Amino acid sequence: MLTDLEYSYSPVRARVRDLREYLDSPKLKKQLAVVETDISDPAVWADAARSQPLMRERKRLETLLSDDAELARRTDDIDAYFELAKEGEDVESELAKAIKDVDEFAEQLDSKTMLSQESDPLNAIVTVHPGAGGTESQDWAEMLMRMYLRWAERQGFKTEINEIQDGDEAGIKSATFTITGDFAYGLLNGETGVHRLVRISPFDSAKRRHTSFSSVFVSPEIDDTIIIDIKPDELRIDTYRSGGKGGQHVNTTDSAVRITHLPTGIVAGCQNERSQHKNKEKAMKMLRSRLYEFELEKKRAVSKKLEDAKSDNTFGSQIRSYVLQPYRMAKDLRTRVEVGDVDRVLDGDLQPFIRGFLKMRREGGPSGPVEDID
């Protein structure tokens, strides 16, 4: 048994070693010292555009140093367990658990090191829309919303539903929610696109197999340090009565707000506050975030592809397929990552797909043609 544990620990030890070399804690400490010096300048605190990015950078460096120290502590514990086991102590179960835990921790940390883009540390605003197909796709859209909310819960992130429109019979017609947590946007950035579900329909009395589509769009929640020029005459502001579940006041007054940016057609809405003023404030914040993401995508020269994926919510445009019948599998069509336990995926275990996308992004994109699963 001990020999088996030594064999299983060998690749984990190599991964941890490579990861710690990549982190390079002496270099991180030097970078942190420079940031601390900049932060100590009183003039910085008079300028939010300078102070807030510095505070984010300090937090990032401190977190990486803390993670590196945690890796060192865990590997020292494992070495100590091996010594005890060789001396005849019954610690093999504890040793096996420690190896599994450090492997998972190293995998999460490796993903975090791939989050180096400017907007990666920000919160995420997620919008889900069903494709054509009525109740089927609306139910699938609600399943996707639940999947991301469960993922956020697993990560210890906070969530807030900004706007939701219930379906006529089941599911949702649209939903927008904010996920608040470190690197939420960077982790979810790759989820933008069309998601395809194949299953035996619970709404079909003949129990036939149906294919449904829903689109997901993820944008970063930007702060006041990023200036987005929005002219009042470029906006159309509509108020309406909130729908769905809510209190008496929420559902009987025109407190919900939807703002359309006319030049781009980008829409943001909020309905979860009692006050129309607060809903408008939150909708404007979401609109600024979406316009920021829109401009970023133009700079990356892929905005056309992004808009095509958002509008063509049907066959041939999906990024991931979830098959529940005749077999069970979830497959990302860009990274080729496959997971057989599709129920676990739908319950929020998105780490294999997130990690696969981040690795693909770091390596410059898919290496060959992408094939779907039937």
Side-chain angles (χ1 to χ4, degrees):
M1 177 67 175
L2 185 59
T3 302
D4 292 340
L5 288 173
E6 288 176 328
Y7 180 78
S8 66
Y9 182 49
S10 179
V12 178
R13 180 190 284 114
R15 173 190 281 187
V16 170
R17 182 186 63 247
D18 293 345
L19 188 53
R20 294 199 66 201
E21 287 178 358
Y22 176 82
L23 288 173
D24 192 357
S25 62
K27 180 181 177 181
L28 291 175
K29 290 177 181 177
K30 290 180 181 178
Q31 292 175 343
L32 180 59
V34 172
V35 172
E36 294 282 11
T37 300
D38 291 341
I39 289 176
S40 65
D41 182 359
V44 168
W45 295 101
D47 185 358
R50 290 181 61 196
S51 63
Q52 292 192 19
L54 283 172
M55 294 298 291
R56 284 199 297 265
E57 178 66 4
R58 180 170 71 174
K59 184 176 181 180
R60 184 186 73 86
L61 293 170
E62 289 176 341
T63 299
L64 289 176
L65 284 168
S66 174
D67 289 338
D68 179 71
E70 180 66 12
L71 274 178
R73 184 191 68 78
R74 293 191 184 208
T75 52
D76 287 345
D77 288 347
I78 290 174
D79 291 339
Y81 275 129
F82 272 117
E83 290 298 322
L84 290 172
K86 291 175 181 177
E87 293 173 3
E89 296 288 337
D90 184 16
V91 294
E92 291 184 354
S93 61
E94 292 90 340
L95 179 54
K97 184 178 184 304
I99 292 173
K100 180 176 180 292
D101 289 346
V102 76
D103 188 28
E104 292 176 352
F105 182 77
E107 182 173 321
Q108 293 173 3
L109 183 54
D110 190 28
S111 296
K112 190 183 294 184
T113 63
M114 292 186 271
L115 297 169
S116 58
Q117 296 188 3
E118 180 183 3
S119 55
D120 283 346
L122 302 177
N123 301 328
I125 299 174
V126 184
T127 299
V128 180
H129 284 291
T135 301
E136 287 288 344
S137 59
Q138 291 173 13
D139 185 59
W140 171 224
E142 186 174 37
M143 291 170 64
L144 280 174
M145 180 181 72
R146 179 187 179 277
M147 181 180 75
Y148 291 117
L149 294 177
R150 285 285 292 127
W151 173 83
E153 182 182 339
R154 285 169 175 254
Q155 302 300 309
F157 293 164
K158 295 180 180 179
T159 60
E160 180 183 9
I161 305 294
N162 304 117
E163 183 182 34
I164 187 168
Q165 296 183 43
D166 293 330
D168 296 327
E169 298 179 28
I172 57 173
K173 292 182 178 179
S174 70
T176 299
F177 49 95
T178 301
I179 297 179
T180 302
D182 291 339
F183 294 94
Y185 173 70
L187 292 169
L188 287 180
N189 182 27
E191 296 300 302
T192 291
V194 176
H195 297 246
R196 170 188 181 229
L197 174 70
V198 180
R199 64 173 174 174
I200 298 295
S201 171
F203 307 102
D204 186 341
S205 59
K207 301 299 180 183
R208 290 170 295 190
R209 188 171 64 164
H210 285 247
T211 299
S212 306
F213 298 89
S214 288
S215 66
V216 175
F217 182 64
V218 184
S219 58
E221 183 184 50
I222 63 174
D223 54 35
D224 293 335
T225 64
I226 300 174
I227 306 301
I228 302 293
D229 184 23
I230 302 177
K231 299 176 181 178
D233 59 359
E234 294 178 343
L235 300 178
R236 186 180 74 238
I237 301 176
D238 300 310
T239 60
Y240 59 99
R241 187 164 299 175
S242 299
K245 305 174 183 64
Q248 182 178 359
H249 174 84
V250 171
N251 290 335
T252 58
T253 62
D254 292 338
S255 59
V257 175
R258 183 176 293 119
I259 304 176
T260 304
H261 185 248
L262 299 175
T264 62
I266 293 174
V267 180
C270 187
Q271 66 179 30
N272 65 321
E273 299 288 345
R274 291 170 59 89
S275 162
Q276 186 183 106
H277 175 74
K278 289 183 178 179
N279 280 327
K280 180 180 178 182
E281 184 179 328
K282 287 192 174 184
M284 277 298 297
K285 188 173 184 180
M286 286 187 286
L287 181 65
R288 291 176 64 246
S289 295
R290 289 177 184 172
L291 286 171
Y292 173 68
E293 174 66 10
F294 180 77
E295 292 301 322
L296 284 181
E297 290 297 332
K298 284 204 300 186
K299 290 180 182 179
R300 296 173 193 144
V302 295
S303 62
K304 183 178 184 300
K305 179 180 177 181
L306 176 63
E307 293 304 312
D308 287 347
K310 287 169 60 183
S311 59
D312 188 14
N313 200 354
T314 180
F315 279 101
S317 59
Q318 63 267 16
I319 63 167
R320 189 177 304 148
S321 287
Y322 309 73
V323 179
L324 305 184
Q325 183 71 25
Y327 53 89
R328 305 180 73 81
M329 178 185 293
K331 178 178 180 179
D332 194 287
L333 310 181
R334 304 157 301 176
T335 64
R336 302 176 181 82
V337 172
E338 298 180 5
V339 177
D341 191 351
V342 66
D343 294 308
R344 185 172 176 178
V345 173
L346 293 173
D347 195 40
D349 185 8
L350 299 175
Q351 291 308 111
F353 299 111
I354 290 173
R355 180 173 172 79
F357 178 80
L358 291 174
K359 288 180 66 176
M360 183 190 74
R361 188 177 72 174
R362 182 171 63 184
E363 294 164 3
S367 57
V370 174
E371 296 181 358
D372 197 358
I373 49 180
D374 294 325

